[in-house]
Amino acid sequence: MRKEPRQTRSSSLVEAALEAAVQVLVAEGAARFTMARVAERAGVSVGSLYQYFPNKAALLFRLQSDEWRQTTGMLQAILEDRGTPPLERVRALTHAFVRSECEEAAVRGALADAAPLYRDAPEAREIKAGANAAFLRFMDEALPGLSPAQRGVAADILKTAMGDVGKSISEKGLGTPDIEKYADALADMLCAYLCLLAKPSHPEAQ
């Protein structure tokens, strides 16, 4: 952002702009997303919008980074809940992630189209690193018998499977009961994979 809002009125303007930006993004797509359309939808002047966001890439990145931070915070809270057994955490995370993917499918798709505008930003790498670290800490706890390299592979498989399958499910336009069935099946597979790795007889555990 060009500057942070410091007064209630300024904060309200930024919040209205972000809400309007989501609406424009879903309705128009990334290709037709403009600052003028956002300002019009938010009921503010374009000049007011430019006071806080220097260009549309900055506004899109704010939407994306907010979504990344929310998702990362959710997964960290679940993965780092040591009062819950690891496999229960995997199931809880799978369901929460798949529901999130489906609820925000339209926005995520439009933001993905805009990704070339900001995907190499330092903030993007920082948020991704935080998620990766949470998965690795979880694997250290869940699979102590494996080497760090093997735990790294397991973490990457969980992230990839959850991300790719979650995206595929979100594109099907399913209702809640079917979404939960898909999430259950995905959780079953991920838990079975971790159980297999944890067995003393498994090659990677020796």
Side-chain angles (χ1 to χ4, degrees):
M1 294 182 67
R2 178 165 280 161
K3 67 177 183 178
E4 292 290 337
R6 299 187 180 279
Q7 299 178 350
T8 302
R9 184 166 176 269
S10 300
S11 296
S12 297
L13 186 152
V14 170
E15 289 303 315
L18 292 173
E19 184 176 341
V22 170
Q23 295 171 0
V24 172
L25 194 59
V26 172
E28 304 283 351
R32 290 174 53 85
F33 183 91
T34 66
M35 296 286 275
R37 285 189 173 90
V38 172
E40 181 181 7
R41 182 69 65 96
V44 301
S45 69
V46 177
S48 296
L49 192 58
Y50 275 112
Q51 287 182 32
Y52 297 96
F53 299 98
N55 49 51
K56 74 173 186 178
L59 184 52
L60 286 167
F61 181 70
R62 170 61 186 267
L63 295 179
Q64 181 66 89
S65 60
D66 284 353
E67 190 276 324
W68 279 336
R69 287 191 175 92
Q70 181 179 3
T71 301
T72 299
M74 176 267 291
L75 73 85
Q76 287 176 326
I78 294 174
L79 289 177
E80 296 175 359
D81 177 15
R82 291 185 174 241
T84 302
L87 293 184
E88 289 185 25
R89 277 179 264 169
V90 170
R91 298 197 72 86
L93 178 60
T94 302
H95 276 270
F97 183 80
V98 170
R99 282 196 299 268
S100 174
E101 286 287 294
C102 292
E103 289 168 359
E104 304 293 336
V107 176
R108 290 177 200 274
L111 284 172
D113 292 338
L117 295 173
Y118 52 70
R119 64 187 168 196
D120 294 324
E123 295 91 341
R125 292 194 295 270
E126 179 183 348
I127 295 168
K128 183 178 180 180
N132 290 342
F135 271 97
L136 289 174
R137 287 192 296 269
F138 173 78
M139 289 302 174
D140 290 344
E141 177 191 354
L143 299 171
L146 301 188
S147 70
Q150 290 166 336
R151 291 196 294 268
V153 171
D156 191 52
I157 288 174
L158 249 69
K159 286 184 297 181
T160 302
M162 203 173 293
D164 289 353
V165 176
K167 179 176 182 294
S168 176
I169 295 170
S170 74
E171 294 170 349
K172 295 180 181 295
L174 302 174
T176 300
D178 288 327
I179 290 171
E180 293 302 308
K181 288 178 184 177
Y182 273 89
D184 265 331
L186 177 59
D188 286 344
M189 289 188 289
L190 296 178
C191 287
Y193 170 65
L194 291 182
C195 286
L196 182 64
L197 291 179
K199 286 184 178 180
S201 59
H202 193 276
E204 291 191 8
Q206 297 176 2

